[in-house]
Amino acid sequence: MIDGVVVKKLKVIPDERGRLMEILRCDEEVFGRFGQVYMTTTYPDVVKAWHLHKKQDDFITCVKGMLKLVLFDDREGSPTRGEVNQFFIGDYNPALVKVPRAVLHGWKCISRDEAIVVNVPTEPYDPEHPDEYRVDAHVNNIPYEWVRKDG
């Protein structure tokens, strides 16, 4: 596992009215601080990658559909530099993934319908000085290809 990455299995509590799933609590060890909460969607087979943040950690979960969430550690001095982590999260594997600052990350929607993602970054978005640094999804030096692996 990339240094600083944390995965929390999420528990779904169903009853006759529907479901409840806690995602992140301020009294958990994994919690850092609160910046904002936002929701984004990704259509089937779309890749949203690669980017990193220099100031914030992300806490990512997929609440509908399925994502292939991939992280790449290219941080100078990191004990896990060069490592890739891949997580399948969503309907069939509810989980929260903490993505530490400066770790490149992105995802691909692997469900038939759009994936709905909730992120709780540790910093609020600043439109005047966005903390987002992008790398092309397919043309880069990251040892990962976004193709499905059949077999």
Side-chain angles (χ1 to χ4, degrees):
M1 185 88 67
I2 290 174
D3 186 45
V5 173
V6 177
V7 178
K8 173 189 166 192
K9 297 293 288 176
L10 299 178
K11 180 180 177 184
V12 177
I13 303 166
D15 67 19
E16 66 272 11
R17 301 166 298 162
R19 299 177 286 163
L20 176 133
M21 181 176 70
E22 285 187 352
I23 297 171
L24 182 63
R25 298 170 50 105
C26 67
D27 58 356
E28 294 178 312
E29 188 175 321
V30 69
F31 180 76
R33 60 178 269 155
F34 174 79
Q36 68 179 46
V37 176
Y38 72 85
M39 182 272 300
T40 183
T41 71
T42 306
Y43 294 129
D45 298 320
V46 170
V47 173
K48 287 187 175 180
W50 294 91
H51 71 276
L52 63 83
H53 309 286
K54 294 182 180 178
K55 298 177 187 171
Q56 76 184 38
D57 298 332
D58 284 335
F59 292 86
I60 297 170
T61 190
C62 179
V63 297
K64 180 77 174 105
M66 285 296 295
L67 279 189
K68 177 168 58 171
L69 172 64
V70 183
L71 285 53
F72 176 64
D73 187 357
D74 196 29
R75 298 173 292 178
E76 294 275 339
S78 171
T80 54
R81 187 171 191 193
E83 286 191 28
V84 173
N85 290 168
Q86 176 178 263
F87 305 97
F88 295 93
I89 62 172
D91 291 338
Y92 302 110
N93 186 33
L96 173 77
V97 178
K98 176 188 176 188
V99 181
R101 66 195 59 143
V103 170
L104 283 155
H105 56 287
W107 62 69
K108 180 178 182 178
C109 175
I110 59 170
S111 50
R112 290 179 189 234
D113 295 319
E114 81 179 319
I116 301 174
V117 177
V118 173
N119 187 14
V120 184
T122 56
E123 301 294 328
Y125 180 73
D126 179 355
E128 299 295 318
H129 304 96
D131 180 31
E132 186 157 290
Y133 304 87
R134 296 194 167 274
V135 174
D136 187 273
H138 305 285
V139 180
N140 55 58
N141 65 345
I142 300 168
Y144 190 83
E145 293 185 28
W146 290 100
V147 297
R148 189 178 73 198
K149 294 170 179 62
D150 296 327

